[in-house]
Amino acid sequence: MKKLDNTLIIGIGNNTRQDDGLGWCFLDALVKNGFNEEKLLYKYQLMVEDTDLIAKYKTVFFVDANKTALNEGFLIEKLTPSKKVSFSTHAVPPNQILNLCETIYHKKPTAYLIKIEGYEWDFKIELSKKASENLKNAIKAFIKEF
Amino acid sequence: MNPRKIIIEPVTRVEGHGKVTIKLDENGKVSDAYLHIVEFRGFEKFIQGHPYWEAPVLVQRLCGICPVSHHLAAAKAIDQLVGIDPENLSPTATKLRRLLHYGQVFQSHALHFFYLASPDLLFGINAPAEKRNIVAVASENMELAKKGILMRKFGQEIIKALAGKKIHGILAVPGGVHKTFTKEERAYFLDGIKIPNIDTMIDWSKEIIDFMKNYHLENAQWIDNFAAYPSNHLSLVDKETGALELYNGRLRSVDFEGNELLNIEDIEYRYHFKEAVKPWSYLKFPYMTKYGSANGWNRVGPLARLNTCKYITTPLAEIERRIFKSTTQNKPNNMTMHTHWARLIEMLHCAELMKELLLDNELMATTDLVRKGTPRTKGIGIIEAPRGTLIHEYHTDDKGLITKCNLIVSTTHNNEAMNRGVRVVANEILSEKPEITEPMLNQIEIAIRAYDPCLSCATHALGEMPLIVQLKDYQGNLIDEKIR
């Protein structure tokens, strides 16, 4: 089993809306690849109280579906905290969660956003073919790099 | 000066999407003001044809903030369809549902106070818009923000432990619950190892009430008078004692002076209430039939509950209730901004109740979780949701398929009250002013925000958060526009 002691991986999305489930499918794929499940978190959206959670980790990955085109079908980018506020109680962007974490807990986990391009968003529990392909490539790259 | 129309759309830091229109006459005086609820989803219709047991699962999708309230109100109604009245539910099932409910009220009140309302209180009504948010609160009062986050988290963890997940989980099934509480789950909330424990929640609830009392002392002129107006107040109360009751009780309404207007069995609500409709809002206007739509509307929620109940059963919250009531010489409190204070007293009450239940071994019983009686074709479930009295009613055919559904959501009861608040504030701050400033418009929103309206629940959808203000002349021509 591949242990993720100081690392948390958060899959964001909704697997009943086709490619919006890419974040969750990424976590499923990690489990199949032997990663320990305790450090994999499935979420519909990020909320303010997730600040408390990520403050406990050295490294955090956020994995989410992306509606706009990405060159390789996925992109892994390093995140920096954002002071911009587009606050809703229903969803908070990862970079704002990082900012809150730094402000309240004085913790700066190294954070990455893994964007995976999706195409279909209907009421269905199945990824589109192209999104599945992007997912495979994203998993390969993640395992290779990290 | 020509007559003008001011539109605030959408209203910010509330749950959902609303719009305010304020009309100014040729002298710049407010001639009318409305809060429009401009969403429509129609859950009452599309639940029809579904099997009755799906209701507690489906209808909670109305909302991402208070799904537990809808889940439990629907469950209480569905219990009756399988022949079980609230009194006949097993003690363990009742206690588990109550614990879930108190966790929900606790987290929802924490969310509203710390994330939505506290910027107005901490920074004042004239603070720049970019400062009125939780990030600014965190920057200037880190400890307050941290406690707010952890208090909300505690309530959500209770929900997760009982319902499987924090949002749209499932605990209740027709006639009971599908799971019990384990020793390990209980220890999580008592030992304080992984999260601050329930005693800490009680301590922090007391601290935040102290903060509010000090705030009141320093800002009495504003907080006592802003958006204040007389009204009726409605909530459930304990059937025997008249104490504050959030899960199961009688419906009681009092007028602004404390005269009792209504005291009925909850399931008789349909004989005592009607709902009016107005062409400019999707949100209905409930009122007590006997008193008509002009005089029969109620406020609901924390302020109303502290006005209708005779006392609070938990000791610390009761001490705070007495202090709260002393500000009005034990008469009903009609000061809208005191709703925040009442909300915090309820948080303390819920924390105390959660502790009682967490220490109750009956919570961990593994038998007698579900009961069945003689099936019926009508069920009515009423609970006190965080924002006020929540009513679910379902009718079924002989196959158990839902034929009719009626939902009166807390925010719906507060519809007239919120409109009244908008008019009061608009009259005070906008009439005959040469310039309409952004802080002035924020005050309109503060009057609405005090009710913690869940516009998503009341009609039901999510909305974006920018503020657009348009000035129009009496013919509807756009004169000026500001976008925040």
Side-chain angles (χ1 to χ4, degrees):
Chain A
M1 180 181 285
K2 297 170 180 110
K3 282 216 163 189
L4 293 164
D5 286 337
N6 273 313
T7 301
L8 177 69
I9 306 178
I10 303 175
I12 305 164
N14 181 349
N15 70 335
T16 63
R17 296 297 297 268
Q18 288 190 283
D19 295 349
D20 193 26
L22 274 163
W24 292 16
C25 292
F26 187 91
L27 302 189
D28 292 343
L30 289 184
V31 173
K32 283 181 190 162
N33 278 280
F35 284 82
N36 55 333
E37 290 182 52
E38 309 90 76
K39 306 295 179 186
L40 308 178
L41 185 65
Y42 295 73
K43 289 191 73 83
Y44 288 107
Q45 66 273 311
L46 295 173
M47 290 187 282
V48 171
E49 45 276 18
D50 292 321
T51 305
D52 175 63
L53 180 68
I54 68 165
K56 298 178 174 75
Y57 289 90
K58 199 174 167 188
T59 309
V60 181
F61 290 89
F62 300 94
V63 193
D64 203 355
N66 202 69
K67 273 188 170 180
T68 53
L70 300 167
N71 279 343
E72 295 177 63
F74 73 93
L75 181 67
I76 302 175
E77 61 183 16
K78 196 166 182 187
L79 282 173
T80 50
S82 167
K83 290 188 176 173
K84 188 184 165 201
V85 178
S86 60
F87 173 71
S88 140
T89 55
H90 296 80
V92 187
N95 52 5
Q96 289 178 32
I97 292 284
L98 288 176
N99 180 45
L100 270 169
C101 185
E102 192 176 339
T103 306
I104 298 174
Y105 294 95
H106 305 302
K107 294 282 174 64
K108 292 181 190 176
T110 305
Y112 299 89
L113 176 61
I114 303 175
K115 299 176 184 175
I116 307 172
E117 189 177 347
Y119 310 89
E120 306 285 338
W121 317 94
D122 214 339
F123 291 101
K124 209 173 174 185
I125 307 178
E126 188 179 32
L127 295 180
S128 65
K129 279 187 183 174
K130 282 165 78 180
S132 299
E133 201 55 39
N134 293 342
L135 174 68
K136 276 183 200 167
N137 294 333
I139 289 284
K140 269 187 209 166
F142 174 80
I143 292 173
K144 191 178 166 191
E145 283 189 45
F146 303 97
Chain B
M1 188 189 293
N2 284 329
R4 291 185 298 165
K5 187 156 75 172
I6 301 169
I7 298 172
I8 303 174
E9 182 184 19
V11 177
T12 60
R13 277 186 288 139
V14 299
E15 308 293 358
H17 194 124
K19 176 176 116 175
V20 171
T21 301
I22 301 158
K23 291 182 178 172
L24 305 178
D25 65 17
E26 57 276 9
N27 297 315
K29 281 189 176 174
V30 173
S31 58
D32 226 329
Y34 307 100
L35 168 64
H36 313 259
I37 310 303
V38 291
E39 307 165 340
F40 181 77
R41 285 172 75 184
F43 265 73
E44 289 168 325
K45 187 65 184 171
F46 72 67
I47 191 78
Q48 290 176 13
H50 285 263
Y52 69 86
W53 52 266
E54 283 186 1
V57 182
L58 280 182
V59 179
Q60 64 169 326
R61 299 278 167 167
L62 282 165
C63 188
I65 301 297
C66 50
V68 168
S69 307
H70 290 289
H71 178 62
L72 291 175
K76 280 182 73 181
I78 299 311
D79 289 341
Q80 291 154 41
L81 295 177
V82 295
I84 299 296
D85 291 311
E87 296 75 21
N88 300 326
L89 208 64
S90 78
T92 299
T94 301
K95 286 175 182 176
L96 285 164
R97 286 191 189 184
R98 278 185 179 271
L99 180 59
L100 180 69
H101 189 39
Y102 302 145
Q104 155 69 4
V105 176
F106 189 77
Q107 70 88 16
S108 177
H109 281 0
L111 168 72
H112 182 261
F113 185 79
F114 292 102
Y115 296 9
L116 304 179
S118 69
D120 295 325
L121 303 179
L122 285 173
F123 304 129
I125 52 179
N126 291 318
E130 60 271 19
K131 203 173 178 184
R132 296 194 298 257
N133 56 65
I134 181 69
V135 178
V137 171
S139 299
E140 299 210 6
N141 199 330
M142 196 178 68
E143 280 307 309
L144 183 78
K146 196 187 285 184
K147 283 173 184 170
I149 286 170
L150 291 172
M151 289 170 91
R152 175 158 199 240
K153 185 176 177 177
F154 188 94
Q156 286 191 309
E157 291 290 327
I158 288 276
I159 294 169
K160 188 181 170 190
L162 290 164
K165 52 185 184 175
K166 293 174 184 173
I167 301 172
H168 302 145
I170 300 168
L171 172 68
V173 293
V177 294
H178 73 85
K179 84 175 279 288
T180 186
F181 216 44
T182 64
K183 279 184 181 174
E184 292 73 26
E185 284 168 336
R186 182 168 79 164
Y188 180 72
F189 298 102
L190 294 175
D191 62 21
I193 295 170
K194 289 187 175 168
I195 58 171
N197 70 8
I198 186 62
D199 288 317
T200 305
M201 293 301 116
I202 291 171
D203 290 342
W204 287 356
S205 298
K206 281 160 54 185
E207 275 179 34
I208 197 68
I209 292 173
D210 289 340
F211 165 87
M212 193 69 208
K213 286 190 290 195
N214 288 331
Y215 184 86
H216 177 244
L217 284 176
E218 291 164 11
N219 301 276
Q221 175 65 22
W222 178 69
I223 202 170
D224 289 356
N225 295 298
F226 182 80
Y229 52 88
S231 73
N232 307 322
H233 302 271
L234 171 76
S235 79
L236 291 177
V237 294
D238 183 88
K239 289 185 177 184
E240 308 296 328
T241 64
L244 177 64
E245 173 55 52
L246 299 173
Y247 181 72
N248 190 44
R250 291 176 68 81
L251 276 171
R252 181 168 191 255
S253 170
V254 297
D255 71 10
F256 72 103
E257 290 181 310
N259 301 304
E260 189 170 86
L261 301 176
L262 196 74
N263 192 338
I264 58 168
E265 285 290 329
D266 59 347
I267 56 169
E268 291 174 1
Y269 91 93
R270 59 212 307 273
Y271 304 113
H272 298 272
F273 285 87
K274 281 189 176 170
E275 293 175 275
V277 290
K278 300 197 176 171
W280 41 269
S281 180
Y282 280 123
L283 197 57
K284 291 188 255 184
F285 288 77
Y287 61 93
M288 293 178 286
T289 312
K290 188 176 171 184
Y291 302 97
S293 61
N295 300 312
W297 57 275
N298 290 285
R299 287 196 229 204
V300 298
L303 184 71
R305 287 192 281 255
L306 291 201
N307 284 330
T308 55
C309 77
K310 292 183 178 166
Y311 69 100
I312 296 180
T313 53
T314 55
L316 298 173
E318 172 59 8
I319 292 168
E320 296 298 338
R321 185 197 70 89
R322 289 182 182 207
I323 295 167
F324 179 79
K325 293 292 279 187
S326 70
T327 61
T328 53
Q329 293 75 49
N330 224 30
K331 288 280 187 184
N333 185 327
N334 292 285
M335 295 177 271
T336 302
M337 293 304 285
H338 285 218
T339 309
H340 296 299
W341 188 352
R343 190 172 284 119
L344 298 177
I345 294 171
E346 287 194 338
M347 276 186 76
L348 176 58
H349 176 54
C350 286
E352 290 181 280
L353 288 169
M354 284 192 286
K355 183 175 179 182
E356 272 178 29
L357 287 168
L358 287 168
L359 296 174
D360 188 335
N361 286 332
E362 205 162 20
L363 218 62
M364 293 182 288
T366 54
T367 57
D368 194 18
L369 298 180
V370 179
R371 290 180 177 176
K372 280 185 182 172
T374 306
R376 305 172 203 162
T377 56
K378 187 180 85 179
I380 295 169
I382 302 183
I383 64 167
E384 283 298 320
R387 293 160 181 84
T389 311
L390 172 63
I391 301 172
H392 279 221
E393 177 173 354
Y394 301 93
H395 295 225
T396 56
D397 62 16
D398 55 3
K399 291 176 186 160
L401 302 178
I402 294 169
T403 55
K404 183 185 167 187
C405 166
N406 187 36
L407 309 175
I408 305 181
V409 177
S410 322
T411 296
T412 315
H413 288 289
N414 276 331
N415 198 0
E416 180 59 37
M418 290 189 292
N419 273 280
R420 197 65 61 116
V422 167
R423 269 175 236 139
V424 166
V425 175
N427 263 314
E428 280 177 14
I429 62 168
L430 297 180
S431 274
E432 300 179 272
K433 297 290 189 300
E435 189 190 359
I436 307 297
T437 63
E438 196 279 334
M440 285 178 177
L441 297 174
N442 182 45
Q443 291 184 59
I444 302 285
E445 295 185 89
I446 288 172
I448 299 167
R449 205 175 288 132
Y451 293 93
D452 187 15
C454 194
L455 309 180
S456 305
C457 267
T459 60
H460 298 279
L462 302 183
E464 295 295 316
M465 289 294 188
L467 172 69
I468 301 169
V469 182
Q470 294 180 324
L471 293 183
K472 293 181 176 180
D473 66 19
Y474 70 104
Q475 291 176 317
N477 300 314
L478 188 68
I479 299 168
D480 194 10
E481 182 177 70
K482 284 182 183 170
I483 299 173
R484 182 166 78 191

